[in-house]
Amino acid sequence: MTDEAALLAFAVKWRHWNGGPDEDIFVTFGISPEDYFHRLRRLLTKHRWNRLEPQVLTDLVRICDDRLSTIDIRSGDRARPRRMSSEHPLSKLSA
């Protein structure tokens, strides 16, 4: 499974529960929820993912936007992606 496919599979699996727990995101991907939802949001706008059912795509984009707005509110300013360790298997994903 590619890194992008892993991000998408996790998102689809957890879409009914608002994207999944922060702890599971970190343990699974080695990145913060903030980074995960930024990357997932970018991934969902790529042309090849338009094969998803329209409602699933809409749900996932909404979840990303909701979770990122929550992170922005908690941090007090605009969320910025952080770099993960180059040793993590998903570090090759574009930030």
Side-chain angles (χ1 to χ4, degrees):
M1 182 180 301
T2 67
D3 296 340
E4 289 180 344
L7 284 172
L8 190 61
F10 186 92
V12 170
K13 173 183 172 183
W14 285 99
R15 78 181 184 280
H16 297 294
W17 299 278
N18 200 31
D22 291 352
E23 297 81 12
D24 285 5
I25 292 168
F26 182 76
V27 169
T28 302
F29 300 105
I31 58 177
S32 70
E34 177 184 353
D35 290 342
Y36 169 80
F37 287 107
H38 275 287
R39 291 176 188 199
L40 179 60
R41 183 70 166 82
R42 276 195 308 269
L43 179 63
L44 293 170
T45 62
K46 288 185 176 183
H47 176 70
R48 66 179 158 185
W49 295 117
N50 67 7
R51 294 177 299 196
L52 287 172
E53 292 179 28
Q55 187 59 53
V56 172
L57 182 59
T58 300
D59 289 349
L60 294 177
V61 169
R62 180 193 49 79
I63 289 167
C64 288
D65 292 346
D66 289 350
R67 293 286 295 264
L68 288 169
S69 70
T70 301
I71 291 167
D72 292 346
I73 291 168
R74 283 189 298 191
S75 70
D77 67 5
R78 187 76 192 138
R80 288 183 207 98
R82 292 180 292 276
R83 296 266 179 214
M84 73 175 90
S85 165
S86 61
E87 297 164 8
H88 192 277
L90 295 180
S91 65
K92 293 179 179 68
L93 286 176
S94 60

